[in-house]
Amino acid sequence: MNTTTRDQVIADEQKAVDRAYDCYAERLAEMTGAAAATAAASNKDGIANRLDAEEKAAAYDGLGGESLVTGRVDAPDEPGGEPRPWYIGRRAVPHVRTRDTVVVLWTSPMATKWAAVQPQTPGDITLRRQLRCAQRVVEDYFDEHGRCGGPP
């Protein structure tokens, strides 16, 4: 019997969302730092590279007040492997140093495959969770157990 309370789950998810935002900020700093580094170049290509990097950083930064993280899916890295949590959101977020995936872009092939899972064919998904966040703050969650083959 699972004795984890709703508040404990929200607190755990908040830690993951905090990590996602930290990695997001590091990635954005990395992107804008690259733009600054290429700005020092004195040739035409350096200017074009800097402008391109600045445009990419601006597009990456534009969450428009929406939350970065929207959900979580527990699924293995490899078919038949042990499930692990994958956070899904509005931007793909890597860990800056390790390049491990912290947030999967919701439109990526992996995330769209998870979204299409039906109860009759859950595959390796053990949990699909919607997170309701007010930007950085996890306010609530909803587990879609019946839709993904997890426990009721």
Side-chain angles (χ1 to χ4, degrees):
M1 182 168 148
N2 190 350
T3 60
T4 305
T5 68
R6 190 163 198 80
D7 288 341
Q8 288 171 319
V9 171
I10 290 172
D12 289 344
E13 295 298 4
Q14 184 64 59
K15 288 177 189 174
V17 169
D18 289 343
R19 178 176 182 258
Y21 270 97
D22 290 347
C23 291
Y24 176 72
E26 288 176 6
R27 176 66 179 127
L28 189 57
E30 180 183 63
M31 293 173 84
T32 55
T38 58
S42 60
N43 62 29
K44 193 174 184 179
D45 290 339
I47 293 168
N49 288 340
R50 176 183 53 82
L51 292 173
D52 183 53
E54 287 173 354
E55 287 175 12
K56 287 179 180 173
Y60 188 76
D61 188 31
L63 288 172
E66 296 291 331
S67 178
L68 171 63
V69 181
T70 59
R72 168 184 162 180
V73 169
D74 288 4
D77 285 325
E78 303 284 329
E82 284 297 310
R84 75 170 193 92
W86 297 89
Y87 286 88
I88 301 165
R90 292 183 168 85
R91 297 289 181 274
V93 180
H95 188 279
V96 172
R97 287 175 291 290
T98 65
R99 295 297 182 208
D100 291 339
T101 300
V102 177
V103 180
V104 176
L105 181 63
W106 71 277
T107 58
S108 72
M110 186 183 303
T112 55
K113 179 183 88 172
W114 291 331
V117 166
Q118 297 295 312
Q120 306 88 324
T121 56
D124 290 333
I125 294 175
T126 58
L127 172 72
R128 187 165 53 196
R129 175 174 287 162
Q130 293 179 17
L131 296 176
R132 193 184 66 177
C133 300
Q135 293 182 350
R136 298 181 74 115
V137 178
V138 179
E139 295 182 332
D140 204 0
Y141 70 94
F142 173 73
D143 287 346
E144 300 174 317
H145 291 294
R147 295 184 62 200
C148 65

